[in-house]
Amino acid sequence: MELESLYQEVILDHYKHPANKKLSPDYTAQVHHVNTSCGDEITLNLSLKDGLISQVSWEGVGCSISQASTSIMTDLMIGKNTESALSVLGEFTSLMQSKGLAKGDELVLEDAVALAGVSKFPARIKCALLGWMAFKDAISQSVTQQEK
Ligand code: ZN
């Protein structure tokens, strides 16, 4: 119970004070993702430099879960290399698929463990994953560009 209200506070805090929510003019890939089932929308700019995620910035509208989750994700990803970023993304995706059974590893997911409870509500999972899927898309676009 106490843990749940703490988690709600983390989500609310990210919703009210979102991290990196201002599109940076420099980016290696820009993506726009929507979650039609809820009306959430985000645009995400990613900068990849020498295999490192140097910047993730975004703009968006939608429910508190989608906006807070995107904010948490950007905080987590900036400064990581693509390999560890994708492994964190994998951890979060399995947390969301856990149907409320997993708690998430706080050492890996940090504030994102606050979203663990969302996995009990199938309709909200897409909200929580929106920013992460946009990020994944932006990574693969950046990597493809660099291979050209
Ligand atoms: Zn939503």
Side-chain angles (χ1 to χ4, degrees), residues 18-143:
N20 309 299
K21 194 175 178 183
K22 185 176 191 290
L23 286 176
S24 155
D26 302 312
Y27 52 84
T28 41
Q30 179 173 65
V31 296
H32 182 73
H33 279 216
V34 291
N35 171 20
T36 46
S37 58
C38 179
D40 310 318
E41 247 180 84
I42 75 155
T43 302
L44 183 143
N45 286 358
L46 171 85
S47 296
L48 198 64
K49 226 177 253 164
D50 305 324
L52 275 186
I53 291 136
S54 56
Q55 185 64 258
V56 187
S57 61
W58 63 290
E59 254 316 323
V61 288
C63 68
S64 55
I65 303 232
S66 67
Q67 305 296 297
S69 185
T70 304
S71 166
I72 290 169
M73 181 278 297
T74 60
D75 260 355
L76 264 171
M77 297 307 192
I78 294 169
K80 286 195 163 59
N81 63 33
T82 49
E83 202 184 343
S84 49
L86 289 174
S87 118
V88 172
L89 196 138
E91 287 266 338
F92 186 72
T93 311
S94 9
L95 179 63
M96 286 301 108
Q97 288 162 348
S98 74
K99 300 185 166 73
L101 297 175
K103 290 186 171 64
D105 184 349
E106 201 171 351
L107 289 175
V108 178
L109 292 173
E110 299 177 23
D111 277 358
V113 295
L115 293 153
V118 172
S119 67
K120 282 182 273 189
F121 307 99
R124 309 312 302 277
I125 294 171
K126 273 190 189 167
C127 301
L129 281 175
L130 179 69
W132 299 70
M133 291 303 111
F135 174 76
K136 191 180 183 182
D137 187 11
I139 289 252
S140 63
Q141 286 190 25
S142 299
V143 170

Side-chain angles (χ1 to χ4, degrees), residues 2-13:
E2 262 176 39
L3 192 64
E4 244 166 58
S5 60
L6 174 76
Y7 280 179
Q8 270 164 14
E9 227 166 272
V10 172
I11 293 169
L12 207 62
D13 194 50

